[in-house]
C-alpha cells in the first residue's frame, strides 16, 4: 500500500500538464485487483511512515527506494 502511494506521488511530480503536489490530508485510495480490497491512506500518514526508522529488512529497503524516488520528504 505504501509503495503504491509513493509511486503515485512520484507520477504526480513527473506530470508536465498538472502542477500538483499532494500534501497533508489528501487521501489516496489503493485497490488491489484480486481479491478486490481498498485501502485509504492520507499523505500525512504516508510521510509519517516514511520517516519512521526501522522495521523489517523489507520495510527498510522499500523506504530507502521510495525516499530515493521522492527525494526529501517533508
Amino acid at each position: 500500500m505504501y509503495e503504491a502511494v509513493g509511486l503515485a506521488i512520484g507520477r504526480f511530480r513527473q506530470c508536465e500538464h498538472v502542477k500538483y503536489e499532494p500534501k497533508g490530508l489528501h487521501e489516496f485510495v489503493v485497490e488491489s485487483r484480486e481479491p478486490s480490497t481498498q485501502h485509504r491512506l492520507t499523505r500525512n500518514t504516508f510521510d509519517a511512515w516514511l520517516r519512521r526508522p526501522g522495521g523489517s529488512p523489507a520495510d527498510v529497503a522499500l523506504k530507502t527506494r521510495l525516499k530515493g524516488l521522492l527525494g526529501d520528504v517533508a
Side-chain angles (χ1 to χ4, degrees):
M1 172 174 62
Y2 288 96
E3 182 176 14
V5 170
L7 293 172
I9 292 168
R11 289 287 209 146
F12 282 122
R13 288 182 174 172
Q14 293 174 356
C15 183
E16 298 174 9
H17 306 290
V18 178
K19 296 297 179 195
Y20 174 72
E21 172 66 21
K23 296 182 183 189
L25 297 177
H26 282 100
E27 184 176 68
F28 295 87
V29 178
V30 178
E31 183 173 351
S32 63
R33 295 286 181 185
E34 298 208 14
S36 181
T37 305
Q38 280 191 358
H39 301 276
R40 295 178 181 277
L41 185 69
T42 64
R43 177 67 191 261
N44 285 342
T45 303
F46 173 80
D47 288 344
W49 170 82
L50 198 57
R51 285 191 303 264
R52 195 174 8 212
S56 70
D59 280 349
V60 172
L62 176 58
K63 288 177 185 182
T64 300
R65 189 166 67 84
L66 291 175
K67 286 177 183 177
L69 173 73
L70 299 175
D72 189 25
V73 174

